[in-house]
Amino acid sequence: MPDSLVTLLQALLLTLGCLFFLVGTLGLFRLPDTLARIHALTKADNLGLGLIVLGLLPSVPGPATAAKILFIWLVALAASATAAHLVARTVRASDSRSDREDGA
Amino acid sequence: MKALDAAIRTAWLFVAWWALAEGEAAAVAFGLGAVPLIALLSWRLFPPGARRPRVLATFAFGGYFLVGSVAAGVDVARRLLSPRLPISPGYMSYKTSLPAGSPRWLLANTLSLLPGTLSVTLRGPEIELHCLDTTAEVHDAVARAEEHIARMFPL
């Protein structure tokens, strides 16, 4: 592929990645509660980061750096899924606590 | 078997070190000494599970996960950008047949990154999910994720 085409593709991927981050943030404003907001953040940011990593891959200096940024994506995925689960669990626990208090 | 497991884990740790050091020769040489020590420590802290993930099934899962991630991001973006905000959130419970330990954790984490589902609590085989759209076919999607993971960890 000619270089200019690769650069164009990279610009496209990076822009698209940033747009997904933007949409995820939009979710914080539009969605009604914490759990629904977590949906938007985890899923949109996961894809956004993936697209940014993909867009950066052609410009890395070598295979080790390529492996490093892919590794960053994987670790960020694991962290975001785990953090999402922990926040969701805490929300659920405090919800059922206030339910009981309301019933009493 | 145990020696092979240890060799595989050490090799993966070395690849991780090589990536972190961005392939710089001096740092990689340092890793030759450091990685076996780290492998030893990790072996003590996290002894290997009874099941070693199958290579082919792991790749299949990776592909399935990538497609699912894209679908999840696009799905959530479509809902957020639509003026009507088409969501109908609610809880759903799913009973998994996967064994306790890493297979169950992997399922819970995977579901959080797939379209429309978020793992809330994990009690034994019972996974409580929060769904962005309870009118969608959530149950089948969860069963598919479960099947992929079951193939990775043969019983």
Side-chain angles (χ1 to χ4, degrees):
Chain A
M1 254 196 299
D3 276 359
S4 57
L5 201 64
V6 175
T7 312
L8 187 72
L9 204 65
Q10 280 184 285
L12 214 67
L13 285 168
L14 292 175
T15 312
L16 207 60
C18 292
L19 284 177
F20 271 104
F21 271 97
L22 211 63
V23 168
T25 310
L26 179 70
L28 283 181
F29 296 101
R30 288 206 76 192
L31 292 169
D33 57 42
T34 311
L35 287 174
R37 288 179 187 137
I38 300 173
H39 274 281
L41 280 184
T42 45
K43 291 166 183 75
D45 289 6
N46 161 20
L47 183 55
L49 186 62
L51 290 171
I52 288 173
V53 164
L54 207 61
L56 289 176
L57 275 183
S59 356
V60 297
T65 316
K68 187 178 184 176
I69 62 174
L70 285 171
F71 191 51
I72 289 172
W73 181 60
L74 272 181
V75 173
L77 280 193
S80 99
T82 308
H85 171 71
L86 291 177
V87 174
R89 196 171 67 179
T90 309
V91 168
R92 183 60 164 155
S94 64
D95 272 1
S96 50
R97 207 163 33 242
S98 61
D99 284 354
R100 271 200 305 279
E101 278 160 12
D102 289 347
Chain B
M1 265 342 203
K2 249 193 155 154
L4 182 60
D5 280 344
I8 292 172
R9 188 183 290 196
T10 311
W12 273 117
L13 285 171
F14 192 75
V15 170
W17 175 263
W18 167 78
L20 288 178
E22 299 188 14
E24 203 191 306
V28 170
F30 181 77
L32 286 177
V35 165
L37 293 176
I38 294 164
L40 204 67
L41 186 67
S42 103
W43 199 263
R44 290 242 170 142
L45 292 174
F46 308 104
R51 291 168 280 269
R52 184 187 315 138
R54 273 194 262 178
V55 178
L56 269 181
T58 305
F59 276 110
F61 172 78
Y64 159 77
F65 179 78
L66 280 182
V67 173
S69 297
V70 174
V74 171
D75 173 67
V76 88
R78 183 181 60 80
R79 288 176 199 275
L80 285 172
L81 293 174
S82 157
R84 290 190 300 115
L85 195 65
I87 60 166
S88 67
Y91 288 103
M92 188 196 114
S93 185
Y94 188 86
K95 206 175 168 116
T96 178
S97 55
L98 292 174
S102 29
R104 256 181 223 169
W105 273 108
L106 184 61
L107 178 65
N109 273 354
T110 304
L111 290 176
S112 292
L113 294 169
L114 290 184
T117 47
L118 173 70
S119 311
V120 180
T121 55
L122 194 58
R123 252 184 243 103
E126 203 84 42
I127 301 181
E128 190 180 30
L129 296 166
H130 183 264
C131 308
L132 205 49
D133 186 358
T134 42
T135 59
E137 264 309 320
V138 181
H139 193 277
D140 287 359
V142 177
R144 242 188 332 274
E146 187 182 28
E147 206 182 293
H148 268 280
I149 292 171
R151 265 189 241 128
M152 274 174 71
F153 296 93
L155 287 171

